[in-house]
Amino acid sequence: MSSNGKRAQGAAPGDEVGQKFHCDNCQANVTDSVRISCNECPEFDLCTTCFSRGIELGSHRNDHPYRVVTRHRFPIFTETWSADEELLLIDGLRQFGMGNWKDAADHVGTKTKEECEQHYNEVYVGSSNWPLPDMDRQFDVKFARAPGDRKNGVAPSNKSMTLSSQPSNHEIVGYMPGRLEFETEYENEAEQVIKDMVIADDDSPEEVELKQIVLRIYNNKLDRRLQRKRFIFERGLLEYRKHQTIEKKRTKDERDLFARIKVFARMQTREDYDALATGLLNENALRQRIAQLQEWRRNGVTTLEDGAQFEVERSQRPSRRASTLRDSAQLLDRLQKIVATRSAREPEPLKTMVHKPTAPNPLDIEHADGVEMLAASERDICARLRIFPRPYLVVKETLLAEYARNGTLKRRQARQLVKIDVNKTSKLYDFFVQSGWIKAPGRPAVHRAAAMLTASATAGRDYAVKQEP
């Protein structure tokens, strides 16, 4: 994490200003030491200690590609300017604009604005290869001269920039530590009501009373604002990274528990809330332990040693099952290969496979529309032939009407009248013959079919009357 013109927390007042780099985990200043910079996460740096521990923060993971960044103290254009200072100067001019030497010097941190301007004019503007400087210069020194090693012996003033109270100076976005305030306060628009209020001498008593009421309302808002800020400060909620680290160490059940009891935090002191949370955690742990012991007892475990062995074996059970399935698959593959090899050596004659038709499952018509109009035998034939009651009644009425009109009905005529599966039509025809509703050709029984047709029509009308609201 880089910052410009700011001093790290805990740094001495004499530390120089300019571009600083801090470890995003422990906030250590790594400006003058080796740091590890992530290639995927922007503005993410770690010190070597945190990097060796495999720290993961936010979207950063310890398997991201990285690069090792060190200080470049060797000179490239002049003996008094290091490579890092040259880069900071160009980066500052690019950010703040050409000619803004003050902000560019603050960005460099070790040079004054006069030195930055003079160096740029001499090295870049005065170069014969403008806009590029002379790239072929060689120096006998290994490192650029420090400000105190100059020939005239006068070191530049190393002013430290005052830490301003800005929202970007804290890990909580919007909090200004120097003022103990937030960029957006609770009921942030409360001051809008009273900003133009004036209590004049010529105000009427009613106007004065109204303005006093408005002021009391504003004071109540301020009290609620202070109450919330006091709660934040007393509970240490500004230590975001600390709470985030503690939250990551908790289990899922513990996180769910704390999420449910957060509403009680405002009603209790910190000690009472901590005691409540600890008690609920202990209760949850006891419940889990009791459930585990009950499970052991159901599985015949009576001692703690057997219980520990039971948990070990249960944890190993998925791997054993996977190993068994894998071995079974390998054995089956081996047997298939053996069978294929023997079949290739001794081809067997093809056998004709005879598939016996299986009867379909009976249709459930217990709650079908019109089932109450059918007799038990009719329900049975509808279930076996998988015909709903309503279509069956239509088929029945059609065949019986034709039989009553002509006095005879052949199987072929029935198939022509009913446009359904011919097998179902034949079975229905046989069912009607067996029931005595239709006689085989040559045996007239018109009166029987007419009576059945009349009864069917009457039952249909009665059912329709019952269905009307």
Side-chain angles (χ1 to χ4, degrees):
M1 178 179 63
S2 64
S3 59
N4 184 26
K6 303 177 182 64
R7 192 167 58 247
Q9 284 185 333
D15 285 353
E16 60 207 19
V17 298
Q19 181 119 16
K20 298 292 183 182
F21 296 93
H22 304 86
C23 177
D24 284 79
N25 181 55
C26 64
Q27 300 300 315
N29 189 353
V30 292
T31 305
D32 297 326
S33 60
V34 177
R35 69 179 188 274
I36 310 300
S37 181
C38 181
N39 288 340
E40 292 189 10
C41 304
E43 300 274 338
F44 191 89
D45 302 294
L46 290 175
C47 63
T48 54
T49 302
C50 295
F51 175 76
S52 62
R53 291 163 49 195
I55 295 297
E56 293 183 348
L57 289 176
S59 60
H60 174 72
R61 294 294 176 265
N62 54 22
D63 57 351
H64 283 181
Y66 63 91
R67 65 182 185 275
V68 180
V69 182
T70 59
R71 294 286 290 178
H72 301 140
R73 300 181 180 276
F74 54 88
I76 53 177
F77 301 135
T78 62
E79 293 184 355
T80 57
W81 281 71
S82 65
D84 283 337
E85 292 171 336
E86 298 282 358
L87 293 173
L88 290 173
L89 175 62
I90 300 301
D91 185 60
L93 293 176
R94 183 177 57 84
Q95 290 186 26
F96 306 112
M98 184 63 64
N100 194 350
W101 302 111
K102 183 179 182 304
D103 289 339
D106 293 338
H107 190 71
V108 174
T110 56
K111 306 295 181 182
T112 63
K113 62 178 183 179
E114 293 81 7
E115 291 174 333
C116 291
E117 180 179 5
Q118 179 182 0
H119 178 75
Y120 186 81
N121 291 332
E122 291 178 355
V123 175
Y124 296 92
V125 178
S127 174
S128 58
N129 299 325
W130 165 261
L132 297 177
D134 186 5
M135 308 295 293
D136 299 329
R137 299 199 60 183
Q138 300 292 333
F139 300 95
D140 297 333
V141 295
K142 185 176 181 181
F143 300 107
R145 292 180 180 177
D149 297 333
R150 297 191 176 183
K151 295 180 180 180
N152 53 12
V154 179
S157 59
N158 190 13
K159 298 182 294 182
S160 61
M161 182 175 292
T162 304
L163 179 63
S164 60
S165 181
Q166 296 179 357
S168 59
N169 286 358
H170 198 270
E171 57 183 291
I172 300 296
V173 177
Y175 176 63
M176 296 175 283
R179 301 172 58 180
L180 299 179
E181 294 179 353
F182 293 89
E183 187 176 13
T184 303
E185 294 282 356
Y186 174 74
E187 295 192 7
N188 199 50
E189 306 296 331
E191 287 76 13
Q192 297 293 329
V193 181
I194 64 169
K195 66 176 184 178
D196 299 325
M197 180 184 296
V198 177
I199 300 179
D201 296 336
D202 54 350
D203 289 345
S204 63
E206 291 79 8
E207 293 178 345
V208 173
E209 183 179 2
L210 178 60
K211 293 180 180 179
Q212 290 176 349
I213 292 174
V214 173
L215 288 176
R216 284 197 294 271
I217 294 174
Y218 171 68
N219 288 331
N220 290 333
K221 292 181 179 180
L222 289 183
D223 292 339
R224 291 195 294 271
R225 182 185 297 175
L226 292 175
Q227 181 182 3
R228 282 162 173 77
K229 290 170 67 174
R230 188 181 304 112
F231 178 83
I232 292 174
F233 295 148
E234 290 178 354
R235 302 300 172 93
L237 300 181
L238 292 174
E239 300 175 359
Y240 176 74
R241 298 185 186 278
K242 176 181 176 182
H243 287 281
Q244 190 179 38
T245 304
I246 296 175
E247 188 75 12
K248 289 181 178 179
K249 294 180 180 179
R250 292 173 178 159
T251 62
K252 183 180 182 300
D253 295 337
E254 292 178 350
R255 289 196 295 267
D256 294 340
L257 175 63
F258 275 94
R260 292 196 300 268
I261 65 175
K262 279 183 179 179
V263 294
F264 301 106
R266 291 178 55 189
M267 309 173 191
Q268 298 175 313
T269 62
R270 183 171 186 174
E271 292 75 13
D272 293 341
Y273 177 75
D274 293 341
L276 173 65
T278 304
L280 291 176
L281 289 176
N282 293 335
E283 179 189 1
N284 190 27
L286 288 175
R287 289 180 180 273
Q288 293 178 357
R289 183 59 174 172
I290 291 173
Q292 185 185 44
L293 294 175
Q294 291 176 346
E295 183 182 6
W296 289 359
R297 180 61 59 87
R298 287 194 299 268
N299 288 275
V301 179
T302 56
T303 62
L304 295 178
E305 293 77 7
D306 294 341
Q309 183 65 24
F310 173 78
E311 293 296 333
V312 172
E313 292 181 356
R314 184 169 64 173
S315 63
Q316 296 175 353
R317 192 177 306 161
S319 60
R320 291 178 180 176
R321 185 181 296 111
S323 177
T324 303
L325 292 175
R326 185 171 56 253
D327 295 341
S328 300
Q330 292 176 357
L331 179 60
L332 179 60
D333 185 48
R334 195 184 315 164
L335 291 175
Q336 290 177 348
K337 290 181 179 179
I338 294 174
V339 171
T341 304
R342 291 184 177 180
S343 300
R345 294 177 180 175
E346 301 176 0
E348 297 181 358
L350 296 177
K351 296 181 180 180
T352 304
M353 302 298 294
V354 179
H355 297 280
K356 296 182 179 180
T358 57
N361 295 327
L363 181 65
D364 185 11
I365 59 172
E366 285 295 324
H367 304 286
D369 185 21
V371 69
E372 64 274 5
M373 301 173 60
L374 305 180
S377 59
E378 292 178 301
R379 295 182 184 180
D380 181 67
I381 191 66
C382 287
R384 286 190 288 106
L385 297 181
R386 300 184 64 84
I387 302 176
F388 284 97
R390 280 296 179 185
Y392 166 79
L393 292 174
V394 174
V395 172
K396 176 182 176 181
E397 184 176 356
T398 302
L399 296 181
L400 294 183
E402 182 68 17
Y403 178 76
R405 183 169 58 253
N406 298 328
T408 182
L409 182 65
K410 297 181 178 180
R411 189 185 303 271
R412 183 178 59 186
Q413 294 175 339
R415 292 176 179 176
Q416 294 175 352
L417 290 173
V418 181
K419 302 300 181 181
I420 62 175
D421 183 64
V422 293
N423 296 324
K424 293 183 179 180
T425 305
S426 298
K427 291 182 180 179
L428 288 176
Y429 180 87
D430 295 338
F431 173 73
F432 292 161
V433 172
Q434 293 175 2
S435 300
W437 301 337
I438 296 177
K439 295 296 182 180
R443 303 180 190 176
V446 179
H447 60 282
R448 176 70 171 169
M452 290 301 301
L453 179 62
T454 304
S456 178
T458 304
R461 286 196 300 270
D462 294 341
Y463 177 76
V465 169
K466 288 192 296 182
Q467 294 296 321
E468 288 181 359

